[in-house]
PDB file of all heavy atoms in Angstrom:
ATOM      1  N   THR A 297      37.118  41.609  21.577  1.00  0.00           N
ATOM      2  CA  THR A 297      35.735  42.034  22.033  1.00  0.00           C
ATOM      3  C   THR A 297      34.946  40.829  22.510  1.00  0.00           C
ATOM      4  O   THR A 297      35.062  39.749  21.970  1.00  0.00           O
ATOM      5  CB  THR A 297      35.012  42.584  20.728  1.00  0.00           C
ATOM      6  OG1 THR A 297      35.078  41.688  19.623  1.00  0.00           O
ATOM      7  CG2 THR A 297      35.618  43.947  20.315  1.00  0.00           C
ATOM      8  N   ILE A 298      34.162  41.130  23.540  1.00  0.00           N
ATOM      9  CA  ILE A 298      33.191  40.128  24.097  1.00  0.00           C
ATOM     10  C   ILE A 298      31.826  40.531  23.732  1.00  0.00           C
ATOM     11  O   ILE A 298      31.333  41.564  24.124  1.00  0.00           O
ATOM     12  CB  ILE A 298      33.296  39.940  25.670  1.00  0.00           C
ATOM     13  CG1 ILE A 298      34.901  39.573  25.960  1.00  0.00           C
ATOM     14  CG2 ILE A 298      32.435  38.931  26.196  1.00  0.00           C
ATOM     15  CD1 ILE A 298      35.184  39.619  27.384  1.00  0.00           C
ATOM     16  N   PRO A 299      31.199  39.714  22.797  1.00  0.00           N
ATOM     17  CA  PRO A 299      29.834  40.203  22.415  1.00  0.00           C
ATOM     18  C   PRO A 299      28.815  40.159  23.600  1.00  0.00           C
ATOM     19  O   PRO A 299      28.948  39.250  24.561  1.00  0.00           O
ATOM     20  CB  PRO A 299      29.391  39.125  21.490  1.00  0.00           C
ATOM     21  CG  PRO A 299      30.716  38.485  20.987  1.00  0.00           C
ATOM     22  CD  PRO A 299      31.573  38.539  22.206  1.00  0.00           C
ATOM     23  N   GLU A 300      27.929  41.091  23.636  1.00  0.00           N
ATOM     24  CA  GLU A 300      26.877  41.163  24.585  1.00  0.00           C
ATOM     25  C   GLU A 300      25.864  40.028  24.422  1.00  0.00           C
ATOM     26  O   GLU A 300      25.603  39.755  23.255  1.00  0.00           O
ATOM     27  CB  GLU A 300      26.062  42.392  24.516  1.00  0.00           C
ATOM     28  CG  GLU A 300      26.754  43.643  25.066  1.00  0.00           C
ATOM     29  CD  GLU A 300      25.874  44.912  24.764  1.00  0.00           C
ATOM     30  OE1 GLU A 300      24.733  44.802  24.614  1.00  0.00           O
ATOM     31  OE2 GLU A 300      26.547  45.960  24.690  1.00  0.00           O
ATOM     32  N   LEU A 301      25.436  39.397  25.553  1.00  0.00           N
ATOM     33  CA  LEU A 301      24.479  38.325  25.392  1.00  0.00           C
ATOM     34  C   LEU A 301      23.293  38.491  26.356  1.00  0.00           C
ATOM     35  O   LEU A 301      23.603  38.347  27.600  1.00  0.00           O
ATOM     36  CB  LEU A 301      25.184  37.002  25.584  1.00  0.00           C
ATOM     37  CG  LEU A 301      26.202  36.564  24.549  1.00  0.00           C
ATOM     38  CD1 LEU A 301      26.919  35.222  24.979  1.00  0.00           C
ATOM     39  CD2 LEU A 301      25.465  36.228  23.239  1.00  0.00           C
ATOM     40  N   SER A 302      22.065  38.801  25.981  1.00  0.00           N
ATOM     41  CA  SER A 302      21.062  38.707  26.776  1.00  0.00           C
ATOM     42  C   SER A 302      20.071  37.714  26.189  1.00  0.00           C
ATOM     43  O   SER A 302      19.993  37.702  24.942  1.00  0.00           O
ATOM     44  CB  SER A 302      20.383  40.093  26.917  1.00  0.00           C
ATOM     45  OG  SER A 302      19.531  40.462  25.824  1.00  0.00           O
ATOM     46  N   MET A 303      19.163  37.128  27.012  1.00  0.00           N
ATOM     47  CA  MET A 303      18.289  36.140  26.593  1.00  0.00           C
ATOM     48  C   MET A 303      17.305  36.768  25.468  1.00  0.00           C
ATOM     49  O   MET A 303      16.939  36.186  24.521  1.00  0.00           O
ATOM     50  CB  MET A 303      17.452  35.525  27.647  1.00  0.00           C
ATOM     51  CG  MET A 303      18.212  34.371  28.417  1.00  0.00           C
ATOM     52  SD  MET A 303      19.002  33.257  27.404  1.00  0.00           S
ATOM     53  CE  MET A 303      17.489  32.388  26.711  1.00  0.00           C
ATOM     54  N   ALA A 304      16.855  38.077  25.752  1.00  0.00           N
ATOM     55  CA  ALA A 304      15.933  38.631  24.884  1.00  0.00           C
ATOM     56  C   ALA A 304      16.500  38.768  23.509  1.00  0.00           C
ATOM     57  O   ALA A 304      15.974  38.526  22.438  1.00  0.00           O
ATOM     58  CB  ALA A 304      15.410  39.985  25.485  1.00  0.00           C
ATOM     59  N   ASP A 305      17.731  39.420  23.502  1.00  0.00           N
ATOM     60  CA  ASP A 305      18.430  39.523  22.215  1.00  0.00           C
ATOM     61  C   ASP A 305      18.617  38.225  21.423  1.00  0.00           C
ATOM     62  O   ASP A 305      18.275  38.190  20.268  1.00  0.00           O
ATOM     63  CB  ASP A 305      19.817  40.266  22.442  1.00  0.00           C
ATOM     64  CG  ASP A 305      19.649  41.658  22.872  1.00  0.00           C
ATOM     65  OD1 ASP A 305      18.535  42.213  22.647  1.00  0.00           O
ATOM     66  OD2 ASP A 305      20.642  42.232  23.379  1.00  0.00           O
ATOM     67  N   ILE A 306      19.101  37.279  22.210  1.00  0.00           N
ATOM     68  CA  ILE A 306      19.291  35.908  21.546  1.00  0.00           C
ATOM     69  C   ILE A 306      18.098  35.468  20.926  1.00  0.00           C
ATOM     70  O   ILE A 306      17.981  34.967  19.782  1.00  0.00           O
ATOM     71  CB  ILE A 306      19.868  34.911  22.591  1.00  0.00           C
ATOM     72  CG1 ILE A 306      21.303  35.385  22.959  1.00  0.00           C
ATOM     73  CG2 ILE A 306      19.901  33.557  21.969  1.00  0.00           C
ATOM     74  CD1 ILE A 306      21.933  34.527  24.047  1.00  0.00           C
ATOM     75  N   GLY A 307      16.912  35.487  21.666  1.00  0.00           N
ATOM     76  CA  GLY A 307      15.668  35.056  21.239  1.00  0.00           C
ATOM     77  C   GLY A 307      15.358  35.883  19.896  1.00  0.00           C
ATOM     78  O   GLY A 307      14.895  35.255  18.920  1.00  0.00           O
ATOM     79  N   ALA A 308      15.494  37.130  20.005  1.00  0.00           N
ATOM     80  CA  ALA A 308      15.077  38.049  18.831  1.00  0.00           C
ATOM     81  C   ALA A 308      15.917  37.675  17.607  1.00  0.00           C
ATOM     82  O   ALA A 308      15.513  37.827  16.425  1.00  0.00           O
ATOM     83  CB  ALA A 308      15.047  39.497  19.226  1.00  0.00           C
TER      84      ALA A 308
END
Side-chain angles (χ1 to χ4, degrees):
Chain A
T297 51
I298 302 172
E300 283 175 25
L301 290 173
S302 81
M303 281 314 291
D305 290 342
I306 292 177

